[in-house]
Amino acid sequence: MYTGLVHTHSLLRYVVLILILVAIVQSLTAGNKPYTEGNRKINLFTLISAHIQLVLGLVLYFMSPSVDFSQMSNPVTRYWNVEHISMMIIAIVLITVGHSKSKKAVEAKAKHKAIGVFYSIALLIILAAIFTMKDRNPWWNM
């Protein structure tokens, strides 16, 4: 079960990354265009996939043999104990805040701006978390 969850979590990252990139590109290229139902759906699917990824990650966090707080001097263990989960939770909070601000905004331009700003910051944090993984290739090792 653990291995299946790890593979699912690893594959779902690509879905999250693709959706967040699509949402950011849509928001940055929108200009004065109206906020469409398609925009809303992409933003919502990004939010949902990020939250599913979070739930899978939390399950793995509590099941993982890599999470061991007695080994904090080891950079790999410290990464999985603290750094990865912290950065990902911050990124998902930003996605959630961006989506919420977008929903509450009245003007289309404000909706696009909220998504563009918050999702972009979240993407930078996600990429930092992926590329700072210790002791493994983050893209091909599943």
Side-chain angles (χ1 to χ4, degrees):
M1 184 168 126
Y2 176 76
T3 304
L5 286 173
V6 170
H7 288 292
T8 304
H9 188 66
S10 293
L11 288 173
L12 187 57
R13 94 175 110 185
Y14 298 110
V15 173
V16 173
L17 287 172
I18 289 167
L19 286 171
I20 200 168
L21 283 170
V22 170
I24 291 168
V25 168
Q26 281 184 349
S27 68
L28 295 178
T29 59
N32 290 324
K33 293 178 187 173
Y35 187 81
T36 65
E37 184 64 15
N39 296 131
R40 187 191 70 78
K41 284 182 181 177
I42 287 292
N43 299 337
L44 179 62
F45 292 155
T46 303
L47 175 81
I48 291 169
S49 66
H51 280 89
I52 291 170
Q53 184 75 328
L54 173 65
V55 170
L56 286 173
L58 289 173
V59 169
L60 286 169
Y61 185 77
F62 291 107
M63 291 176 64
S64 176
S66 299
V67 176
D68 180 7
F69 288 97
S70 66
Q71 301 290 323
M72 291 296 281
S73 61
N74 179 340
V76 174
T77 305
R78 185 183 63 245
Y79 174 80
W80 293 113
N81 287 346
V82 180
E83 297 167 12
H84 180 76
I85 193 167
S86 298
M87 288 190 283
M88 293 305 184
I89 287 173
I90 291 168
I92 292 170
V93 166
L94 288 167
I95 290 169
T96 305
V97 169
H99 187 264
S100 178
K101 286 191 173 289
S102 174
K103 278 177 48 175
K104 291 178 183 176
V106 177
E107 297 177 4
K109 192 169 189 170
K111 290 178 182 281
H112 290 301
K113 183 178 179 182
I115 294 296
V117 169
F118 284 93
Y119 281 31
S120 294
I121 297 168
L123 177 63
L124 291 175
I125 293 170
I126 290 168
L127 291 175
I130 290 171
F131 286 116
T132 59
M133 279 184 198
K134 308 289 190 250
D135 199 34
R136 69 187 208 141
N137 182 335
W139 295 103
W140 309 116
N141 185 11
M142 290 194 259

